[in-house]
Amino acid sequence: MIPKIIHYCWFGRGEKSEKMRRCMASWQKYCPDYHIVEWNEDNFDVEQNEYTRMCMREKKYAFLSDYVRLAVVAEHGGIYLDTDVELLRAPDLLLAEKAFWGFETPDAVNTGLGFGSEAHGPAVEAMLREYDPLLDGKHGTIGCPKLNTSALVKLGLRPDGTMQHVAEALICPGDWFNPYDSATGRLNTTKNTISIHWYSASWMSRRQRLRCAIGRPLHRLFGVDFFRRVQTWGRKNGS
């Protein structure tokens, strides 16, 4: 059984945004009997390997969090939530599982949406092992959906967005933890929805976040592949 602990990461000692504070208030509202733990440079050893040192030194806090979330849940068990995840109800129905994860897209799982596991669960430890080639700090960073999904595929995941059990873990469809389409800005909650990941995209530059915000109306009108189609048209017409 997954313990009633909510873990989150906050490295860099920056100020949390108003949106983040609202999201975290929803944890206290729906999970008043859960223990909430913040992991930061004071209680997590960021000097434990070259990868964590590099992420800390270069202020790649989002990528550091990708690794730390797996390490702390693997050791302690519990539920991890990004600071931009808003709960709509308690995740109590999932506590009886040995672990749970959610599809971000039909072919990718993302731990940033929120996940849970018993301590030393086979799936969370498999995800942690995907970081082994990076721990020397010489190979840069890789987005967590790629690493998370790779680990589960090796354990038998069908990357098709459907509910399934893999290595004692429940894998949930996108509407459970990811009803918000960041590309279009559309929100489509269902009776299954437990939480909303609002995609603060702290790992992006300010310019990249602005570009995403400007692009949302175009994506809603013309589809999420609008810019790719424009680029393809331009190449074909010599632009």
Side-chain angles (χ1 to χ4, degrees):
M1 187 169 184
I2 299 170
K4 288 186 173 183
I5 307 171
I6 293 176
H7 304 276
Y8 74 97
C9 294
W10 191 251
F11 292 93
R13 307 189 192 282
E15 184 177 354
K16 297 179 180 72
S17 69
E18 177 60 30
K19 176 177 282 188
M20 290 175 181
R21 290 195 292 270
R22 288 198 303 269
C23 287
M24 295 172 70
S26 74
W27 308 351
Q28 297 172 330
K29 175 181 178 180
Y30 292 109
C31 301
D33 55 339
Y34 284 57
H35 181 47
I36 299 176
V37 182
E38 176 180 296
W39 293 93
N40 53 50
E41 48 269 63
D42 293 326
N43 59 0
F44 185 86
D45 180 13
V46 295
E47 297 291 322
Q48 65 178 252
N49 58 61
E50 293 299 329
Y51 181 77
T52 56
R53 288 193 193 99
M54 178 270 294
C55 287
M56 194 68 194
R57 182 177 63 251
E58 298 182 10
K59 299 183 179 181
K60 295 181 178 180
Y61 302 132
F63 292 98
L64 178 59
S65 172
D66 292 346
Y67 175 81
V68 173
R69 68 184 63 157
L70 296 171
V72 298
V73 172
E75 181 176 354
H76 302 284
I79 292 171
Y80 171 84
L81 298 176
D82 264 358
T83 52
D84 57 356
V85 169
E86 177 185 1
L87 287 179
L88 301 186
R89 56 189 170 116
D92 290 359
L93 75 164
L94 295 171
L95 296 179
E97 301 287 340
K98 292 184 178 296
F100 66 87
W101 317 87
F103 278 106
E104 179 179 40
T105 61
D107 60 356
V109 168
N110 182 353
T111 53
L113 306 178
F115 72 95
S117 177
E118 296 179 343
H120 308 296
V124 69
E125 293 200 332
M127 286 187 178
L128 198 56
R129 287 194 296 273
E130 290 292 308
Y131 281 85
D132 286 352
L134 303 178
L135 295 185
D136 62 5
K138 298 178 180 179
H139 297 85
T141 56
I142 298 175
C144 69
K146 182 176 180 178
L147 295 173
N148 302 157
T149 307
S150 174
L152 291 177
V153 167
K154 291 174 184 176
L155 294 173
L157 177 75
R158 301 187 310 277
D160 59 8
T162 63
M163 181 173 284
Q164 53 196 283
H165 273 92
V166 177
E168 302 181 342
L170 177 67
I171 316 298
C172 301
D175 62 325
W176 285 61
F177 309 118
N178 195 40
Y180 176 65
D181 186 336
S182 63
T184 64
R186 290 195 177 103
L187 177 65
N188 297 297
T189 58
T190 71
K191 64 179 182 180
N192 300 318
T193 304
I194 292 175
S195 59
I196 303 169
H197 186 222
W198 287 109
Y199 288 97
S200 66
S202 60
W203 55 274
M204 286 185 178
S205 68
R206 185 174 181 179
R207 181 178 180 180
Q208 288 173 314
R209 289 195 293 271
L210 178 61
R211 181 180 177 183
C212 288
I214 293 172
R216 283 183 191 123
L218 296 173
H219 287 147
R220 283 196 293 269
L221 288 171
F222 304 114
V224 296
D225 63 343
F226 169 70
F227 290 112
R228 181 185 61 78
R229 286 187 282 113
V230 170
Q231 290 172 344
T232 300
W233 181 88
R235 286 194 295 269
K236 288 182 178 178
N237 290 273
S239 299

